Each structure stands twice: as C-alpha cells, then as structure tokens.
Amino acid sequence: MTTRFFERQDEAKRNTGRLIALLVLGMAGIAGTTYVAAAFLLGLLAQKRGAEVAPIWNAPLFFLIAGGTMLVVLGASFFRTAQLREGGGAGVALAMGGRELAPGRPADAEERKLLNVVEEMAIASGVAMPRLFIMEGESGINAFAAGWDPADAVIGVTRGAVESLTRDELQGVIAHEFSHILNGDMRRNIRLMGLVFGLLALAVVGRILLEMGWYARPSRDRDGKGDPRAILALLGLLFVVMGYVGAFFGQLMQAAISRQREFLADASAVQFTRNPDGLAGALKQIGASSAEVTGARAKEANHMFFGEVSSSLFGFLASHPPLEERILRLDPSWDGVYPQPHPMGAGVRMESRLQDDGVGEPDFGHWGGPVAGLAGNALLRPSPVMPTPGRIAPGLPPALAAAAADRTLAGAMVCALLLDRRDAGVRQNQISALAETGPCDAALRVASEVLRLPEEARMGLLDAAAITAAKSSSGDRDRLLAQADAMIGALERADLYVWSARRVLATRLSAAPSGMRHASLREVLPPAALVLSVLARAGGRSGRMIQAAFGEGAAQLGLPEDALSPPEKCRFAELDAALDALACASPDVRRQIMQACAAAALADGRTTAVEGDLLHAFEVSLGGA
Amino acid sequence: MGPALLIVLVFLGALLLLAILIGLYAMGVYNGLVSMRERARNAFAQIDVQLTRRYDLIPNIVETCKGYMAHEKGTLEAVIAARASATQARVTVNADPTNAAGMAQLGQAEGALTGALGRLMMVSEKYPELKANQNMMQLTEELTSTENKVAFARQAYNDSAASYNTYKKTFPPVILAGMFNFQDAAYFEVDDPAKKQAPKVQF
C-alpha cells in the first residue's frame, strides 16, 4: 500500500493532462464554431440578397472572429488572474481571518506543535517553509494552501484541526497542503478561474453586440437584407451562447481537475509522511465531525481547502472527491464507519490514554500528583461548616436514598461511593484498606448498587450520607474520615470526583473553626481566580473553551480574562488552600463567587458530571452560599 | 588540391567534431555527477543540522528528568553515554556522506541513542508529575519533532543518494566516475530494526 503512491501520482497527473487538453480543445472549438456559424449566416444573407455566394473560407472573417474571441477571452483571463494574484497567499489568508504564527515564539503548546509539523513537512517535501496562519474562530477540521508559487505560498489551518487531530493526522493534513504547493495546484486553479472568467466575459461582450444590433434603429434601406446590424445581433447571440456554454463546461472541468489534484495531493502526502494512516485518520475525523469553515470568504475559496467547507454543493461541481472515496484509496480495508471524534484540546489530551481502557471519563489525576499529597490536607485546615440540605437527585433508587438518611448506614454509603469505578484490582486494594480499619460488610452490601449509579448522581448521594453521618459522635466522625482517607490512599491516582468527595466529607464532618474574617472581594480575588480556573479547565475541552468558560465567571467578579491559572497551578493542594481562603470571605462575597462559578460551569451550555461535582464541593466549602 | 586530400580533410574534420562532441558530453556528465554528489551532501547537511539540534536537546531533557527520577540513574546515564558516542560519530563523518565506515558508525550510534531515549520516555510514563511538567511537555514535543525531522531529512538524503549512485553506475557516466574517482554515497540507515522507529512519545 505505502509504495503505491508513485502509481497514484502518475495516474492523477495523466488524468490532469487529459483534462487540460480538453479545455484547450474547447477553446479552439468555440472559435471554430463561431466562425463556421457566422460564415454560414453571412452566406445565407448574401443568398437572400441575390448577391454572389461568398466562399466558405473567408480569411478576414475568420481572423476577425477567432482573433476577437481569443482577445476577449485571454484578455479577461489575464485581468482576472492578475486580480486573483494580487495580495498573494498572505492576502488570502488574512482575508480568511487568519493570524500569522511566526516561527520565533508561538503562544501555546498546540501552536508549537503545528509549527513543528509544518517544519517537518517542509523538510520531507523539499519546499521552503511557507508562512503559516491559524484561523482562530473555526472549530471545523480544515486547512488550505494559497499563493502563486512556492515563494509566495501560505498554509492556513483552523483551530479545530490543530486541537482535535492527533500529531500524525495533522502531519497528513499539512503534507497534503504541501503537495498542492509543490505541484503548483494553486497557480493552476487561479489560471482556470481566470479562463472561466474569460469565457463569461465573452458572453458579456456578446450581449453588448446583441443589444447594439437589436435596439439600434433599423436602417432606411427597407429590404434590410444586408443590414449589418442584423449581422451584429446574430454574432452577439453566438458569443452569448458560446460564452455561457463554455463557462459552464469550464466550471465543470475546473471542478474535475480540482478533484484529480486532491487525489494527487493525498497520494503525495503519503509519499512525504510514508504514513497513510495519519491522513486517513484525519479524513475520518472530518467524517465524524465536520470540515465546515464559517468565515465569509471561505465559500469562494472552497477549492483551496483540505475538505469541502460546506456540503451542499452538487457532486459534479464539488471541488473535492467524496470523503469516502478519498479514505478508501488510503485505507482499502476501511469498513465505512467513522470513528468517535477525538476530544478537543490540551485539557483532555490525557483522555486518549484512558480511552484505551475503554473508559471515557476525563481523568484529572495529572493535576494532583501522588494521592498522598491529598490525604489529610483538608483535614489540617478544616473549613467552616454551614450545613445546607444535601441534594439528592430525583430518580435515585429509593433504597439508596433511604440508606443515605439512615445513621447506621451512612458511613457505609460514603465508603461505597469512594470505590473506584474502573478497575476491579484497585477496588480490591481499597476494600483491603477499608477492612484494616474495621468491619466493612455494610459497605460491600451497598457497593454493587452504588457502582451502577450514573456518575452525576454520586455527589448528591455522598453529601446526603455525609450530612447524616455528621450527626453521629465525634469519634464516629473521625473514624469515617480515617476510613475515607484509607480508601483514597489505596487509589492509584485521585481524580476530581475523589477530591470533591474528600472536600465535602471533610467539610461536613469537621468541627467549624471560628476563623471568619469577612474578607472583601478584592482580598480574595487570587483564590477566586484559581477556583474558576479549575472549574473552567475541568469543563472546557479546548483552550478556547477553557478561556471562554473562565471569562464568563471572571466577568462576574471583575477579574481580567488573563487571570486564568496555568494547568500546573491547578493542583489539589492549591485548590484546597484557595477554598479555605474563600471560606473566610463575607457571605455576600461568597455568594458572588458561587454565582461566578455557576456561570463558568454553564458557559458551554451544559454541566458535566465533573463540573457538577466540583460545584457541589465548592458550594459546601463556601457554606452553601 | 586532389580529391584524396579533400577526403582526408573532411575525415579529419569529422573526427575533430566527434572529439569535441564527446568532450562536451563528458563535461556534461562530469558536471552532472558533481552536482548530484553536492545535492546528496547538501541533503546530508540537513540531517546534520537536525542531529545537532537533537544532541542539544538531550541534556535539557536529562536535566528536567533528573529532578523527578531519582531512582532511574542508570537510564539517564545510558542516554548521556549514547549521546556522547553519537556526537563523536557525527564529528568523525565530518559532513562527508561518501565516508562509508563513518556513516555506518553514525547509524549505529544513532540507533543506540534512539533506544536509550525510548527507554527514558517509557520510564518517564511512571512519573505523572514529570509528565505534567510544562517544561517537559515542551521538550518532549521538540524532541518528537526533531526526531521526525531527522527521519524526513534522512528519507530525502537517501533518495538523493540513491539517484546519485544509480546515475554513477550507468553507462557512460560509470567511465567518468571511475576516472575521476567518484565514491558511492553511503545510505544512512539506523541499524537496529527495533530502534528504527522514533520512540513513541505519547501524552
């Protein structure tokens, strides 16, 4: 498979040559047909007038018509070509809303990756490094190459492509664009567009002639048979027909050539990367999500893009071959089923590892580091208790709701809710750890049902059980906290749910210290920013979404948008400290912060289980403001 | 001037013309050989640039890992040693791809270095804090990219070396190549098949 790209390249080049020959033939055909028709009409007129029949070969007429046609078509083509070249590749990219990435210091990790991939492909294809643009607002998976020749070339990539493709897939897409640059496809396309424009111009000239002949006053010579105006009108009509028919077929051919060049570019991309899976993967991702580009200028530049920018075109005018066909040429064993779209963004890059285990829930373990750093942290600096009624989601199995309210079973519920959901081995470790602290039959009895609960129901149940457990003696409460810590300690890594659960438990079960200072909003802005950042990073899938969610919350507190904390700051220890600091704020301020958190969590229109867990933990920590 | 003299003159003239033509052709072939050899050298220089960059990145990576991987001294030292011998081999080759022995040595050293780095990356998987380190993420991306660039530059170099070697062996260039002692360009292969792939670095 990998070694067949040379054949594919030859095949595509042959096909393109044939199509261009056809186009040239078409041009000659137009001139010839116009001449023959005009000569025939002239002959007819001469016959009617009773004059001598003109010979079929009329050199001056031929040169007039052929020359005139060529002059109009080629002149208009050159004009249009020059117009399209104007501004060069960079002009196109800027018009499309691109932002240039300079090789010096790209802003984030994704951009650095993109820049590296482009440099790699420049080496592989032997083309000089083109200027690189990123289209920030576009979440579809797409890219384009523009420019007249390699020196003027630019590559533009949508934010969606950068964030949702793997490195190999991105490499395939960029290699495809490099092939367009190397094969001179952009220039060819501009020329073809110029030609189509030239044919349309012929039709316009024809219409002018037609009107001149039609509306001009008939001459006084009433027999009018040799009226030059009639000839003018007829000639104009011929031009109109030829122009429109030519332009239509020109457009068809332009689309056909463009489709061939797309196949060629796919084949060359495989030649550069020697990895058909990357490109095939990118095409499958487009199939699974979309290649849509929403910018105003995108539609007219559709032929430059990696995939169709919108899918509503007629097949024969589409500038790209059908997606399925492109994939099948790269991966003949493809079963026609598109994969799950990749999650977007750096925030979930870890998720791809987890998906190998067949688990989709995002794991934020990398924030926390060793679990040991988590245990006891909140215990050392307990937050004030301000009990709010625990929320239990409706639709919960009544037995579980009853158990959470039962003082003898609440502790067991808490333990069962801390069991790991993914790995039976880890669960076994947890149960062993729990057994060391005392009997655990009750926890095991509820465990199977608890493990079947939907993820978003866990936190409410845990809080309800914790509130029940908080009514027991201080010895029992301490023992439950110790049990919870033992179970958390047996986990391989703690995720945000575990942290939230630990936080809620510690808050509910610890005695309230009286350290309230009624701090003002201004005093607690830094911890508020951290709390919002964690929430935004937990829910946001892409860098942009994280920033947007953070912005929603930050706006409510008058925080600047750039106060978003970097991922390495968003650790459990820092989060605990921030919440402890926020808990010292006055009730009004705490309410304000909770509202900002809610806004951040809802910024994308939905709240995930993890966001819900975090919000719950924040709310409990801040005293249910 | 008899007809015999005329025939001799024409014959001599034709011979001279033939000699000139052959000379011109030989010149073209010679120039072709030289420019193809230079193209291969140039392609090799591209690899050289990327190899150097890779050698420069490695100390940074080792330094960053050191802070987190106290118990992996052996792995880190293996990387440092492999880097040292690869650097040495690169100097030996001295940007001359017709130095076959040096090229083989460089290929071997590169293979060893890639293997050692691969092990380091595998071990680093066990350190979530290291993986979350911003600096490490950046270095890993740079290393991945540089390794890709080495691979692509190697691909381009081997292609140009292949076309030079093929041309050199065809007739008549083979005569000139022998006369002027044009050496074969050595292919740049990274030896161990298990180490041929860049380490799969995945976060």
Side-chain angles (χ1 to χ4, degrees), chain A residues 26 61 78 81 190:
Chain A
L61 182 70
F78 278 128
T81 308
I190 289 179

Side-chain angles (χ1 to χ4, degrees), chain A residues 111-287:
Chain A
E111 288 167 13
R112 188 181 304 273
K113 180 175 85 179
L114 175 63
L115 209 58
N116 278 336
V117 167
V118 174
E119 279 173 2
E120 287 160 26
M121 284 304 107
I123 291 175
S125 65
V127 173
M129 174 85 181
R131 289 169 75 182
L132 178 61
F133 290 80
I134 185 163
M135 287 175 278
E136 286 291 356
E138 305 288 353
S139 59
I141 299 170
N142 225 327
F144 70 87
W148 180 252
D149 54 26
D152 170 47
V154 302
I155 285 182
V157 184
T158 62
R159 179 52 85 169
V162 179
E163 295 207 344
S164 50
L165 294 182
T166 66
R167 207 172 194 291
D168 283 354
E169 288 163 359
L170 192 62
Q171 214 175 45
V173 172
I174 301 294
H176 173 105
E177 298 308 330
F178 264 100
S179 160
H180 282 316
I181 296 175
L182 187 66
N183 292 322
D185 291 345
M186 297 109 54
R187 180 165 27 185
R188 190 185 326 261
N189 235 317
I190 289 179
R191 286 214 175 110
L192 284 172
M193 282 161 79
L195 208 59
V196 168
F197 181 82
L199 290 167
L200 285 174
L202 186 67
V204 171
V205 168
R207 218 176 63 203
I208 293 170
L209 291 181
L210 186 64
E211 280 172 4
M212 266 163 59
W214 200 262
Y215 295 112
R217 279 199 346 223
S219 69
R220 254 172 283 159
D221 179 10
R222 275 314 303 163
D223 55 301
K225 292 207 171 99
D227 191 348
R229 281 169 197 162
I231 299 174
L232 212 59
L234 283 169
L235 203 62
L237 190 66
L238 272 175
F239 275 179
V240 169
V241 172
M242 289 293 156
Y244 279 130
V245 171
F248 175 71
F249 283 105
Q251 244 159 12
L252 274 191
M253 273 180 208
Q254 191 202 340
I257 291 177
S258 173
R259 288 197 293 269
Q260 285 300 333
R261 304 309 287 190
E262 291 301 324
F263 278 134
L264 173 62
D266 283 352
S268 306
V270 174
Q271 182 198 345
F272 298 151
T273 59
R274 309 265 156 115
N275 173 17
D277 298 343
L279 184 60
L283 288 167
K284 286 174 193 167
Q285 282 301 316
I286 288 181

Side-chain angles (χ1 to χ4, degrees), chain A residues 394-430:
Chain A
L396 214 58
L400 287 183
D406 184 336
R407 224 189 269 198
T408 57
L409 282 177
M413 286 293 295
V414 168
C415 292
L417 280 162
L418 287 172
L419 283 173
D420 188 78
R421 297 200 136 205
R422 295 186 199 121
D423 191 337
V426 173
R427 271 203 299 278
Q428 198 51 54
N429 289 344
Q430 286 186 297

Side-chain angles (χ1 to χ4, degrees), chain A residues 112-113 116-117 119-121 123-124 167-168 171 271-274 349-350 352-353 366 368-370 493 567-568 571, chain B residues 46 50 53 68 125 128-129 131-132 134 137-138 141-142 144-146 148-150 152-153 155-156 159 200 202-203:
Chain A
R112 188 181 304 273
K113 180 175 85 179
N116 278 336
V117 167
E119 279 173 2
E120 287 160 26
M121 284 304 107
I123 291 175
R167 207 172 194 291
D168 283 354
Q171 214 175 45
Q271 182 198 345
F272 298 151
T273 59
R274 309 265 156 115
R349 225 172 337 170
M350 317 299 146
S352 57
R353 267 164 50 76
H366 63 287
R493 58 205 311 197
E568 68 267 18
R571 287 164 183 277
Chain B
Q46 287 297 322
Q50 300 304 336
R53 181 160 167 61
Y68 295 86
E125 290 280 308
E129 287 207 323
K131 283 178 33 178
Q134 218 42 13
M137 282 170 150
Q138 221 174 73
E141 163 61 27
E142 287 308 311
T144 310
S145 180
T146 312
N148 284 344
K149 283 173 191 163
V150 171
F152 289 130
Q155 190 175 300
D159 284 351
K200 194 83 187 160
Q202 202 178 28
F203 278 89

Side-chain angles (χ1 to χ4, degrees), chain A residues 390-393 396-397 399-405 410 413-414 417 449-450 453 456-468 497 616:
Chain A
R391 297 168 307 187
I392 300 185
L396 214 58
L400 287 183
M413 286 293 295
V414 168
L417 280 162
E449 200 150 351
V450 164
L453 274 179
E456 52 276 14
R458 289 187 295 175
M459 186 53 73
L461 195 61
L462 183 116
D463 196 18
I467 290 171
T468 311
Y497 165 72
H616 198 122

Side-chain angles (χ1 to χ4, degrees), chain A residues 55 109-110 134 255 285 292 316 347 354 358 364 442 444 447-448 464 470 531 549 565 571-572 583-584:
Chain A
E110 298 292 323
I134 185 163
Q285 282 301 316
E292 196 187 15
F316 57 90
L354 285 167
F364 294 84
L444 292 181
S448 63
V531 165
S565 309
R571 287 164 183 277
F572 291 142
C584 296

